[in-house]
Amino acid sequence: GLLSLSGYLMFAGFVVIPWLDQLWLLMLVTIALGFGMYAMHNTLQTRATEMATDARAGAISLFAVSLFLGQALGIEAASIAIGIVGYSPVFLVAAVTLALLAAGIRQSLHRM
C-alpha cells in the first residue's frame, strides 16, 4: 500500500506543479512529493536489504549508487528537456513515469 500511495502522491504532485501560482500551495505539494519519494525509497531500501541477505552490504551499496546516479542523470536530462520543450511536458512525463514505476515495482513485489 505504501508503494501505491507514493505513486499516487508523486503523480498528482508533478501534474499540478506547473499550474500552481500560490507559493503556499507549492509548498504543500512539495511536502506531499517529499513524502511520496520517502515512501518509495523506504520500500525499495527495505526490499534491497531482504533480497541478498548474504551480501547485504554490497546490495545496499549498489542500491545507493543506483539511486544517486539516477538522480544526477535525471536532473541533467530534465534540464536539457526543459530547455527544449518547457516545464509542463517535463513534469507530466515525470508524473507518468513515477506512477508507472510505482505500479511496476508493486506488481513485481506481489509476484515474490
Side-chain angles (χ1 to χ4, degrees), residues 54-98:
D54 56 333
R56 185 170 286 146
I60 296 303
S61 297
L62 185 58
F63 173 80
V65 167
S66 299
L67 179 71
F68 298 137
L69 186 61
Q71 287 177 338
L73 294 175
I75 292 298
E76 181 66 23
S79 67
I80 292 169
I82 287 169
I84 295 169
V85 298
Y87 284 94
S88 295
V90 173
F91 278 106
L92 186 57
V93 167
V96 171
T97 302
L98 286 166

Side-chain angles (χ1 to χ4, degrees), residues 16-85:
V16 301
I17 278 180
W19 292 278
L20 294 177
D21 60 353
Q22 303 271 332
L23 182 59
W24 68 274
L25 285 173
L26 182 60
M27 289 186 332
L28 290 177
V29 170
T30 303
I31 290 168
L33 281 168
F35 181 77
M37 173 60 191
Y38 170 76
M40 182 179 281
H41 176 270
N42 187 39
T43 302
L44 293 175
Q45 190 170 20
T46 300
R47 287 302 196 161
T49 62
E50 295 171 348
M51 283 194 278
T53 55
D54 56 333
R56 185 170 286 146
I60 296 303
S61 297
L62 185 58
F63 173 80
V65 167
S66 299
L67 179 71
F68 298 137
L69 186 61
Q71 287 177 338
L73 294 175
I75 292 298
E76 181 66 23
S79 67
I80 292 169
I82 287 169
I84 295 169
V85 298

